[in-house]
Amino acid sequence: MISKNQQTFLKKKLPVYIKLASSMSLVFGAMGSVQAYAAEAAESTEEIVITGQRASVQSAQEVKKKSNVIVDSIVAEDIGKLPDRSVTEALQRVPGVSVGRYTNNDAEHPAAEGSGVSIRGLTQVRAELNGRDVFSAASGRGLSFEDVPAELMYAVDTYKSPSADMIEGGLGGTVNLRTRMPFDSAGQLASFTIKGNYGDQIKETNGEYSGLYSNRWSTDAGEFGFLIDLSTSKLASRSDQVYSRPFLPRTIDGKDQWVSKGVDWRRNDYFSQRDGKYAAFQWAPNDETEVYLTGFQSKLKSEYDENAFFLNSANGDNAIVPTSAKNWKYGANGEMISGDVTVANPADWGLNFGTSTRWTPGTSTTTDYSTGIKWSPDDHWKFSADLQYVKAEANKDDYTLGVILFPPTARLDGVGTESASIYIDPQYMTNYANYTLGQAMTHFERNEADAKTGRFDVEYSFDDSIIKSVKAGARYSEKTADNINTGYDWKTRYDTWTAGGGNRNQITKVTGDQASKYLTLYSFNDFQRGDVQVPAAGYIYSENAVKNFWATTEGVNAGCNDWYCGNDKNALTNEAYRNTQEEKTASGYIMVNYGFDDLSMPVDGNIGVRVVKTDNVAHGHLTTNEVKLPDGTVLQSANAGDFDAKNDYSHVLPSFNLRVKATEDLFIRLAASKAIWAPSFSDMQARMTISAAVKDGITKPTSISDYNFTLSQDTNPYLEPMTAKQFDVSAEWYFDEKGGMAHVAFFKKEVDDFFRRGTSNFNINGIAGTATWLANIGSGDIKGMEVGASKFFDTLPAPFDGLGLDVNYTYIDSKANIPLPKPGTGNGAAPIDTNKDQYGQMPIDQLSKNAFNVVGMYEKDGISARLAYSWRSKYLIAWGSNGFNPDFPDGSGKAAIPIYNDDYGQLDASIGYTFMDNYTVTLEASNLLKAKTIGIMDQIKAGDHVAYSYAQDARYSISLRAKF
């Protein structure tokens, strides 16, 4: 129970004591002060002046200690002073949290920064902003944390066990992004940061700027507070990538061998500008009432430029063979590792070698407006009401142009290793007359989503009772989405498998005029810092030609007489690519906070239940193909038109949290709950085509009953949420008051209804059949352990008494039971090797068995230094992804090869010095060891080999921060 005098203390005096106790800087340099939960803050502690990293560690521990659920936090100082440019990179320091290294989990495209967050092995992570729903436009669910400016954050809380008053969603957990409010400071606060950062491969320097102003005033109308926070940052980054493609079964010199489909070399230059805006207003007309209004916007503008060379063999006449019988070297499984390569008839055809230039600009914006009121009329009642509007937008364009040439021979070395290399006659490569204008590809996305949400909560506190309070509330949200995704429209000017009657000399070559207009001679400079040999130079489409894609293709294709005559310029107006969703969600909860204070070991916690009902309508298109008897009789006419797929579901979500105060410093926690994760809007597209085929065993169909109806697609508007039962037990030992803490946690999750491509029945508009689509299939058990400790070594002799250490380790074991469809029922639906061997049950993707963080700290006499190493073990990314789904040699279908990310560790560092009390200069470095991201392709008989190696920038920066 909090009295009115205590409420006055919390609102007006607490910030003064917090400021004296922590002197933390706000993410933009010198941000913030130790933030504790208001309801707990009246428990005053010994006043100790602490600064910097020590303050951030103690603040995070205070949040963990006071919470009534299992939570780990990163305070603003941590984000501001770590060499982490995004929230995602900062989250990897949290026990049980791992980050990915790919854009949209696409193994073909590494992320310039960490991308994709998993908590305790699950990527189904809910995102919140100040305890409210926030999302990206395409999915309508989660948020790309790397898109959010870290400079706007006051703290980041990772909730691992929910309570009934938390918004539903998130199987792994919930990440709440907390911003600063004006009343968090005692009075005026101003800060700014200027920063420059440099990438060692791209060799460019970019600037970052941020600033904050906050103040509060007492007037006759009450107390007012205002805060504004702005940031902008640019990033230029380079990634050099070398690929080895899957090994195909071949007969070489009369022996069964394995030969790679090809090798690729790519350079990706990534550019981004991340802008953040945040403003907050607070008004307390009296001690019982507070009104607030906030506005938040995060905007990311990005583009990547990709230049690629690739040797892409196929089957038949395009298959790679040795130039001589004894020229090749093989590995232990009979896989070709190095040698001189050619094709069966090099005089007429040659190796299928290509180059491509790709340009992909995009923008992503999330805007949040929220307002609310809190009212506590007496010592028992608390009321709160909140209104929120979120709008998210994301646009993406993707253009690729490529050329082809057919060298008669090449030299390959290290296929299936980190340094797959190639040599081709430089004179051949630098003669534009050997090239042919080849392929083009476009891809477009236009995504919009918004949500209107209202929430009301009430809590009543009891005196002298084991029931401390009862809390109840209701929430209603309407969310809409309008998404256009055109897919990848790939065209080629020549069918390179048969063009020219099988004679490369008959294919039209590049003219001098075309070369001067559209092409440029390109070299990979210092590829992977000199570790990999690539062709010295080759012709590619110029950057200008790709950025003027439509003018280029119209010029190239003038008078086109082949089957290729250009990409669809009007794809965005095609309604078949549109996916619109309307979703209404209503939820309510009741929660009891209890406490047994008189026990020798006091116990407290909460128990409650949340009920949620969701109604969704996916607007799309349904096409039913014609069914016709052999004599021409039409049994079912072809039909296509608009289609609304309606789906609704309800869930009851109980939760229980218990804390035992074994001693004043040792806490034991137990938690159990049920959680859900709703499918993304992109997974629920209602764009379907129903086909019919004569049933097996029937030779002369006579009626519609003689036909099977089938549907094959990668989405499903009737998907229901994944669910998980969760159990936790943990212990926390706060063994000193100066940041010393140790913890251990054991957890288990029983997950059902994964989203997997599989086979299930359907009944749509009275047509029943079997669909191979995204479905709720299978289950999995995840169990694991987290352990960690932090300690500042104040008892060491000077100057070593400024040292500190923060370590944590996570172990996760999983067992999946996810039935896979038979190979051939859908591309990539089931893993299958290039010789048609089947893999069977696969592990849960994105889940590393082991992960750890080691952070060394030093803080004394104005010096603040940090050395942080994060590591995670091998994990499955996907199977059958682009580039790892080659055609079977007999042409009967496609393989689907599993790809794993190998062990990955990254070392980051920072050192700063504070002078004249208010100014801090900081040097930072990330990826100091220049770690490479390694992919492993798993083949049953050919063995495991390196699928790719990505060498990314080491980054260095210097910043100046000031606070007044």
Side-chain angles (χ1 to χ4, degrees):
M1 181 179 67
I2 300 176
S3 67
K4 292 184 179 180
N5 290 335
Q6 289 174 322
Q7 291 172 350
T8 303
F9 168 80
L10 293 177
K11 193 170 296 179
K12 296 184 177 181
K13 296 182 180 180
L14 177 61
V16 177
Y17 290 102
I18 293 177
K19 186 176 180 182
L20 291 173
S22 67
S23 301
M24 289 175 54
S25 52
L26 181 67
V27 167
F28 303 100
M31 179 180 183
S33 55
V34 177
Q35 183 187 33
Y37 290 126
E40 303 284 345
E43 302 174 16
S44 59
T45 59
E46 179 184 358
E47 186 174 320
I48 304 172
V49 177
I50 52 176
T51 59
Q53 296 177 84
R54 183 189 292 266
S56 91
V57 170
Q58 290 186 239
S59 179
Q61 291 176 3
E62 191 74 2
V63 171
K64 186 178 185 71
K65 185 176 182 180
K66 302 282 186 173
S67 175
N68 61 3
V69 296
I70 299 174
V71 61
D72 287 293
S73 293
I74 309 170
V75 297
E77 177 71 13
D78 240 343
I79 298 175
K81 299 192 74 172
L82 276 173
D84 300 323
R85 300 188 68 259
S86 70
V87 173
T88 299
E89 290 282 353
L91 279 168
Q92 70 180 322
R93 317 295 181 193
V94 175
V97 177
S98 296
V99 302
R101 297 290 162 183
Y102 306 95
T103 301
N104 297 324
N105 198 35
D106 178 3
E108 294 273 299
H109 294 98
E113 303 169 290
S115 177
V117 171
S118 65
I119 300 177
R120 293 177 168 179
L122 291 173
T123 57
Q124 293 78 21
V125 175
R126 175 174 172 74
E128 293 185 351
L129 178 65
N130 296 320
R132 307 179 190 96
D133 191 28
V134 66
F135 50 85
S136 60
S139 70
R141 305 300 179 196
L143 183 70
S144 298
F145 294 112
E146 58 272 19
D147 294 354
V148 179
E151 295 86 352
L152 297 188
M153 294 301 104
Y154 184 27
V156 180
D157 304 318
T158 302
Y159 291 94
K160 299 174 181 178
S161 71
S163 55
D165 59 343
M166 294 175 61
I167 303 172
E168 67 282 347
L171 300 191
T174 295
V175 174
N176 182 36
L177 309 177
R178 279 194 283 142
T179 56
R180 190 175 179 84
M181 295 295 284
F183 287 174
D184 291 335
S185 300
Q188 180 173 271
L189 174 66
S191 68
F192 69 85
T193 300
I194 300 173
K195 184 175 183 179
N197 65 79
Y198 174 81
D200 76 313
Q201 290 190 129
I202 200 165
K203 302 186 187 307
E204 289 190 22
T205 301
N206 307 111
E208 303 180 20
Y209 311 93
S210 59
L212 174 143
Y213 178 79
S214 177
N215 209 344
R216 57 193 296 177
W217 304 269
S218 294
T219 72
D220 293 340
E223 188 162 14
F224 293 87
F226 175 75
L227 180 150
I228 186 167
D229 200 348
L230 304 173
S231 74
T232 182
S233 64
K234 293 184 178 181
L235 171 70
S237 182
R238 169 179 165 181
S239 174
D240 292 345
Q241 308 152 32
V242 57
Y243 298 80
S244 294
R245 297 306 180 180
F247 289 88
L248 303 171
R250 303 289 195 203
T251 301
I252 305 295
D253 300 325
K255 295 182 179 180
D256 293 335
Q257 310 284 13
W258 296 88
V259 182
S260 173
K261 186 176 183 293
V263 286
D264 300 22
W265 302 266
R266 302 182 188 181
R267 171 175 166 171
N268 253 336
D269 289 356
Y270 175 84
F271 306 92
S272 70
Q273 178 173 327
R274 188 163 46 207
D275 296 321
K277 304 174 184 177
Y278 171 66
F281 169 81
Q282 283 179 290
W283 173 42
N286 50 55
D287 292 339
E288 294 80 25
T289 309
E290 179 189 314
V291 178
Y292 57 87
L293 174 67
T294 63
F296 175 93
Q297 184 179 85
S298 174
K299 182 176 183 180
L300 179 71
K301 294 177 61 177
S302 65
E303 67 175 81
Y304 71 78
D305 301 325
E306 179 182 272
N307 297 316
F309 290 179
F310 47 91
L311 176 62
N312 184 22
S313 75
N315 300 304
D317 291 340
N318 279 316
I320 292 175
V321 298
T323 57
S324 64
K326 297 182 180 181
N327 184 261
W328 281 10
K329 293 182 179 179
Y330 296 92
N333 301 305
E335 70 278 21
M336 182 269 194
I337 300 299
S338 63
D340 295 322
V341 300
T342 185
V343 292
N345 188 2
D348 288 341
W349 194 242
L351 295 163
N352 190 8
F353 195 90
T355 75
S356 67
T357 308
R358 188 172 188 175
W359 176 54
T360 306
T363 61
S364 176
T365 305
T366 297
T367 305
D368 172 279
Y369 299 104
S370 298
T371 186
I373 184 171
K374 299 177 182 179
W375 180 47
S376 301
D378 55 36
D379 291 343
H380 295 281
W381 288 101
K382 294 181 182 178
F383 300 90
S384 65
D386 189 276
L387 296 174
Q388 180 196 23
Y389 174 72
V390 178
K391 184 172 182 60
E393 299 174 293
N395 298 328
K396 180 180 180 181
D397 293 341
D398 195 343
Y399 304 97
T400 302
L401 288 171
V403 295
I404 54 174
L405 70 161
F406 305 98
T409 63
R411 172 74 186 180
L412 290 175
D413 284 303
V415 179
T417 72
E418 293 182 27
S419 55
S421 300
I422 192 169
Y423 176 84
I424 299 176
D425 180 5
Q427 290 187 337
Y428 188 92
M429 289 288 292
T430 55
N431 183 356
Y432 67 80
N434 291 322
Y435 290 75
T436 293
L437 300 177
Q439 74 273 9
M441 185 179 71
T442 56
H443 171 73
F444 306 105
E445 295 181 30
R446 298 292 184 269
N447 302 301
E448 294 183 1
D450 66 9
K452 307 175 185 68
T453 304
R455 178 173 178 169
F456 177 78
D457 298 88
V458 58
E459 183 174 9
Y460 183 82
S461 299
F462 296 89
D463 296 330
D464 303 322
S465 171
I466 61 172
I467 298 178
K468 301 302 180 183
S469 68
V470 175
K471 188 176 182 181
R475 179 178 179 271
Y476 178 77
S477 178
E478 292 185 356
K479 188 179 291 186
T480 63
D482 187 350
N483 307 130
I484 301 175
N485 187 323
T486 66
Y488 290 89
D489 182 18
W490 184 86
K491 300 289 180 63
T492 178
R493 295 183 71 246
Y494 294 96
D495 179 355
T496 57
W497 300 271
T498 60
N503 188 325
R504 63 185 171 86
N505 297 311
Q506 302 301 314
I507 297 179
T508 304
K509 301 297 175 25
V510 171
T511 66
D513 181 61
Q514 289 174 326
S516 63
K517 282 184 178 179
Y518 306 124
L519 304 185
T520 185
L521 194 62
Y522 180 81
S523 298
F524 289 105
N525 296 321
D526 195 27
F527 189 81
Q528 291 210 352
R529 302 181 177 94
D531 291 346
V532 177
Q533 178 181 315
V534 296
Y539 277 95
I540 65 173
Y541 270 98
S542 67
E543 178 183 343
N544 183 65
V546 177
K547 291 187 175 180
N548 292 280
F549 181 88
W550 299 115
T552 299
T553 53
E554 287 169 4
V556 167
N557 298 324
C560 173
N561 295 317
D562 297 291
W563 66 274
Y564 164 79
C565 287
N567 303 83
D568 185 0
K569 192 174 183 178
N570 300 310
L572 285 170
T573 63
N574 187 341
E575 286 297 313
Y577 294 127
R578 184 180 296 275
N579 165 43
T580 59
Q581 304 273 341
E582 296 178 8
E583 183 177 88
K584 298 177 181 179
T585 302
S587 60
Y589 74 91
I590 185 168
M591 183 177 76
V592 175
N593 293 299
Y594 61 86
F596 298 87
D597 302 328
D598 297 332
L599 298 178
S600 59
M601 292 189 293
V603 173
D604 61 9
N606 60 74
I607 185 170
V609 63
R610 188 176 189 89
V611 180
V612 55
K613 185 179 188 305
T614 300
D615 294 284
N616 181 276
V617 179
H619 303 282
H621 295 267
L622 176 65
T623 300
T624 54
N625 291 333
E626 183 182 67
V627 181
K628 186 165 57 176
L629 293 176
D631 63 4
T633 302
V634 176
L635 298 177
Q636 176 179 282
S637 300
N639 185 46
D642 293 341
F643 174 68
D644 290 345
K646 298 181 180 180
N647 192 14
D648 63 86
Y649 43 80
S650 300
H651 289 88
V652 177
L653 307 174
S655 61
F656 169 76
N657 291 276
L658 178 146
R659 177 177 61 173
V660 179
K661 298 180 180 179
T663 69
E664 290 185 358
D665 302 319
L666 178 62
F667 292 175
I668 309 295
R669 295 182 187 269
L670 300 173
S673 62
K674 183 178 180 180
I676 61 172
W677 175 261
S680 70
F681 287 158
S682 57
D683 286 340
M684 297 176 68
Q685 294 183 59
R687 189 170 66 208
M688 297 176 285
T689 300
I690 299 176
S691 302
V694 178
K695 293 179 179 178
D696 292 340
I698 296 178
T699 57
K700 293 182 179 181
T702 59
S703 68
I704 198 72
S705 62
D706 293 333
Y707 290 81
N708 284 324
F709 291 92
T710 60
L711 182 136
S712 180
Q713 63 183 58
D714 293 323
T715 62
N716 181 355
Y718 301 106
L719 276 177
E720 294 197 4
M722 295 171 58
T723 63
K725 297 176 182 177
Q726 307 178 136
F727 307 93
D728 297 85
V729 57
S730 66
E732 304 158 11
W733 180 29
Y734 302 88
F735 54 79
D736 69 38
E737 297 179 351
K738 301 178 180 179
M741 191 269 279
H743 63 91
V744 62
F746 299 90
F747 57 87
K748 182 179 180 181
K749 295 176 182 288
E750 299 174 356
V751 185
D752 289 305
D753 297 326
F754 281 94
F755 307 146
R756 288 289 190 272
R757 188 172 168 84
T759 302
S760 61
N761 296 327
F762 72 85
N763 190 321
I764 300 173
N765 287 358
I767 301 176
T770 302
T772 302
W773 56 2
L774 202 62
N776 294 112
I777 293 178
S779 61
D781 290 339
I782 298 173
K783 57 185 178 182
M785 175 189 71
E786 299 168 1
V787 60
S790 59
K791 170 68 176 174
F792 288 92
F793 302 99
D794 300 299
T795 58
L796 292 176
F800 304 107
D801 53 343
L803 289 172
L805 185 66
D806 190 355
V807 298
N808 62 69
Y809 165 76
T810 303
Y811 171 81
I812 301 176
D813 188 23
S814 67
K815 180 181 179 181
N817 181 20
I818 307 173
L820 297 169
K822 293 181 180 180
T825 59
N827 182 29
I832 184 169
D833 209 344
T834 54
N835 66 344
K836 300 187 180 180
D837 282 352
Q838 298 183 29
Y839 290 81
Q841 185 65 61
M842 298 298 295
I844 297 175
D845 56 341
Q846 314 305 316
L847 192 152
S848 289
K849 180 167 285 189
N850 298 283
F852 67 82
N853 291 279
V854 179
V855 181
M857 298 169 283
Y858 183 83
E859 195 149 41
K860 186 177 176 67
D861 299 329
I863 297 174
S864 180
R866 188 164 191 149
L867 191 65
Y869 185 75
S870 293
W871 181 91
R872 66 179 299 189
S873 61
K874 178 180 174 181
Y875 61 92
L876 175 67
I877 301 172
W879 59 83
S881 54
N882 184 40
F884 300 97
N885 58 342
D887 294 327
F888 295 129
D890 63 7
S892 61
K894 286 181 174 291
I897 306 300
I899 302 298
Y900 292 81
N901 193 101
D902 204 3
D903 302 347
Y904 181 85
Q906 181 170 308
L907 181 67
D908 305 321
S910 68
I911 182 169
Y913 179 68
T914 300
F915 57 98
M916 297 173 60
D917 294 332
N918 296 327
Y919 300 90
T920 302
V921 60
T922 303
L923 300 175
E924 298 172 308
S926 62
N927 194 20
L928 269 173
L929 300 180
K930 300 177 181 178
K932 293 182 179 180
T933 300
I934 307 297
I936 303 295
M937 56 182 171
D938 172 17
Q939 293 196 254
I940 297 171
K941 291 182 180 177
D944 290 355
H945 291 87
V946 173
Y948 51 78
S949 169
Y950 298 160
Q952 295 172 282
D953 280 315
R955 304 203 61 80
Y956 309 95
S957 67
I958 182 171
S959 64
L960 175 65
R961 300 166 176 167
K963 182 182 75 171
F964 305 97

